Amino acid sequence: MKAAILRSAGSVPVYGDFGEPAAGPDSQIVGLVATGIHQLTRSVAAGRHYSREAVFPVIPGLNAVARTGTGQLVFTAAGPPPHGTFAERFASPGAMRFALPAGAQPEAVAAGVNPGMASWLPLTARQAEAGKLGTVLVLGVTGMSGFLAAQNARLLGAARVIGAGRSQAGLDRAAAAGAHTVALTGDQDCDAVAIATAVGDDPPSLVLDFVWGPVAETAFGALGRQEPREDGASIKYVHIGALAGAEAAVPSALLRSRKLTISGSGAGSVPAAQIKAQIPAYIQLIADGSVQVPYRTFPLSDVGAAWTASAEPGPRVVLIPG
């Protein structure tokens, strides 16, 4: 069969022939309809993600919309390596197979579930914990995950959404989705003042950090206080991605002066059952237009150009058969 093949870590996938996948005891062979090139997919392919050991040659792709043998459209995942979703066919595990509602646009679902769920899970968890969301600060709002996070927070009733990022086009898109935006310059002191000014006297109940590194350090500076006072505010800081860097220094004074909790959200820290339970609801939000997912499509045969395009900010790149 035809597939996108990655021959080494950090290389660009090439279109070629690959062996057919085999169905396991609880899986079935499905046909590709649409699969997104997500940051998670790129990280795994580069051998940088903690969740999966690199195996080469390999077909990239972790989830997709596919068509079953009976013609049903499903959102699903790939089986074990070396077979991923960037192929004409792949094995779909029964435990990770969700029927698309009538009228759902397969490309939008393939583009949106992965980056959207990254914030949906911590947002709904914080809402359940605190009873309301209050102000939500999104670091990296200019990426697809951050843009969907701004929409998700609004959907769940956040009083304010503040989004920080560097791309003006991405900031404009977030503003159109209802976020108050902060343009980051790379100067940590100036950026910390800008975020602090946007936050004002109402500290965020939740910070969603898709970038980490120096941007996280900037946010820590913005959240710190020179004159600690007991105000009862509780801040939950959730680290989700590390596009700006894998390390960030946390000031000890911040931890002592604020009621702040830093945690992570990702494979391993969130129970699989909890993730699966939320996927159908999020697919429905995409299907009925409650969440807008910008995307652009490339044929599988043009995977090299698609892979390069996916490294740039903008609509999520989706591969379709062809």
Side-chain angles (χ1 to χ4, degrees):
M1 68 172 180
K2 295 297 185 181
I5 306 165
L6 193 69
R7 302 200 180 280
S8 62
S11 63
V12 175
V14 295
Y15 185 68
D17 294 307
F18 204 89
E20 293 283 347
D26 188 35
S27 66
Q28 62 175 271
I29 302 303
V30 295
L32 175 67
V33 175
T35 182
I37 304 183
H38 306 300
Q39 291 297 337
L40 174 60
T41 303
R42 294 181 60 90
S43 181
V44 170
R48 296 195 305 265
H49 200 268
Y50 65 89
S51 67
R52 185 173 294 194
E53 184 177 353
V55 176
F56 302 101
V58 67
I59 300 173
L62 302 174
N63 50 58
V65 172
R67 193 179 302 277
T68 68
T70 62
Q72 183 183 40
L73 288 176
V74 296
F75 177 79
T76 188
H83 289 91
T85 60
F86 291 10
E88 292 180 309
R89 291 172 292 279
F90 57 92
S92 162
M96 187 63 179
R97 194 182 305 138
F98 306 92
L100 264 62
Q105 193 170 35
E107 295 85 356
V109 173
V113 171
N114 179 272
M117 287 290 290
S119 61
W120 187 256
L121 292 167
L123 280 164
T124 52
R126 183 57 169 162
Q127 184 186 54
E129 178 185 60
K132 61 180 182 178
L133 285 175
T135 296
V136 175
L137 171 61
V138 181
L139 303 177
V141 76
T142 53
M144 183 57 62
S145 295
F147 173 56
L148 294 180
Q151 294 187 61
N152 291 343
R154 279 298 190 194
L155 272 175
L156 291 168
R160 287 195 304 159
V161 179
I162 301 171
R166 299 191 67 168
S167 163
Q168 189 58 54
L171 290 171
D172 292 343
R173 187 169 60 228
H180 174 86
T181 59
V182 178
L184 301 180
T185 65
D187 182 313
Q188 289 193 23
D189 292 336
C190 290
D191 291 345
V193 170
I195 293 175
T197 300
V199 168
D201 294 328
D202 182 21
S205 65
L206 179 65
V207 181
L208 299 174
D209 185 349
F210 294 95
V211 287
W212 202 237
V215 179
E217 294 175 350
T218 295
F220 297 151
L223 296 174
R225 294 188 295 193
Q226 296 300 316
E227 297 179 0
R229 62 187 183 278
E230 189 174 339
D231 59 9
S234 174
I235 303 173
K236 191 171 183 67
Y237 191 111
V238 182
H239 161 58
I240 303 172
L243 292 176
E247 306 292 336
V250 182
S252 61
L254 171 63
L255 300 179
R256 298 196 305 272
S257 64
R258 284 281 195 192
K259 187 178 179 182
L260 179 142
T261 303
I262 300 176
S263 62
S265 181
S269 65
V270 181
Q274 183 179 335
I275 296 173
K276 293 173 186 176
Q278 291 282 358
I279 288 176
Y282 201 74
I283 291 175
Q284 184 61 55
L285 291 175
I286 297 172
D288 64 25
S290 297
V291 174
Q292 297 294 315
V293 185
Y295 66 85
R296 48 181 168 159
T297 61
F298 285 76
L300 182 62
S301 58
D302 200 15
V303 65
W307 191 262
T308 300
S310 71
E312 301 299 323
R316 184 53 43 104
V317 174
V318 174
L319 294 172
I320 58 176

